[in-house]
């Protein structure tokens, strides 16, 4: 897992595993944003697997375009 960032979902029947390339640095808010995207997708009547895939994609893109405001963690660009 040193070069990949993986997430696993169990939907009640099956496991789904998604991974992205790791981006160097520390990032603030990844878990909260991931959960918020999943909840939003579910509220829009997407199934849990589609919500999981969308959240992984969204957070990956937000990490890639994160901004530094100082010497601390980077802030996701959402």
């Amino acid at each position: 897992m040193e070069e990949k960032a993986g997430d696993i979902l169990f939907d009640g029947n099956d496991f789904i595993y998604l991974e992205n390339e790791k981006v160097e640095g520390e990032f603030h808010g990844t878990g909260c944003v991931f959960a918020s995207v999943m909840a939003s997708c579910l509220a829009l009547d997407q199934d849990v697997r589609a919500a999981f895939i969308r959240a992984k994609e969204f957070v990956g893109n937000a990490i890639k375009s994160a901004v530094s405001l100082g010497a601390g963690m980077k802030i996701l660009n959402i």
Side-chain angles (χ1 to χ4, degrees):
M1 299 298 295
E2 291 181 20
E3 296 177 14
K4 303 284 182 179
D7 288 291
I8 300 170
L9 171 78
F10 180 66
D11 67 3
N13 295 311
D14 299 308
F15 287 94
I16 180 171
Y17 175 75
L18 300 175
E19 64 183 19
N20 292 355
E21 295 295 323
K22 275 192 178 177
V23 176
E24 193 69 31
E26 294 183 15
F27 303 90
H28 182 72
T30 56
C32 294
V33 171
F34 193 99
S36 295
V37 173
M38 279 206 62
S40 297
C41 290
L42 294 171
L44 293 170
D45 289 327
Q46 293 184 19
D47 64 54
V48 70
R49 293 172 70 94
F52 179 68
I53 292 167
R54 179 65 184 120
K56 181 70 172 172
E57 177 184 88
F58 187 93
V59 171
N61 289 334
I63 287 171
K64 289 176 188 173
S65 61
V67 295
S68 283
L69 299 177
M73 292 182 174
K74 292 181 181 178
I75 306 299
L76 298 183
N77 184 11
I78 56 173

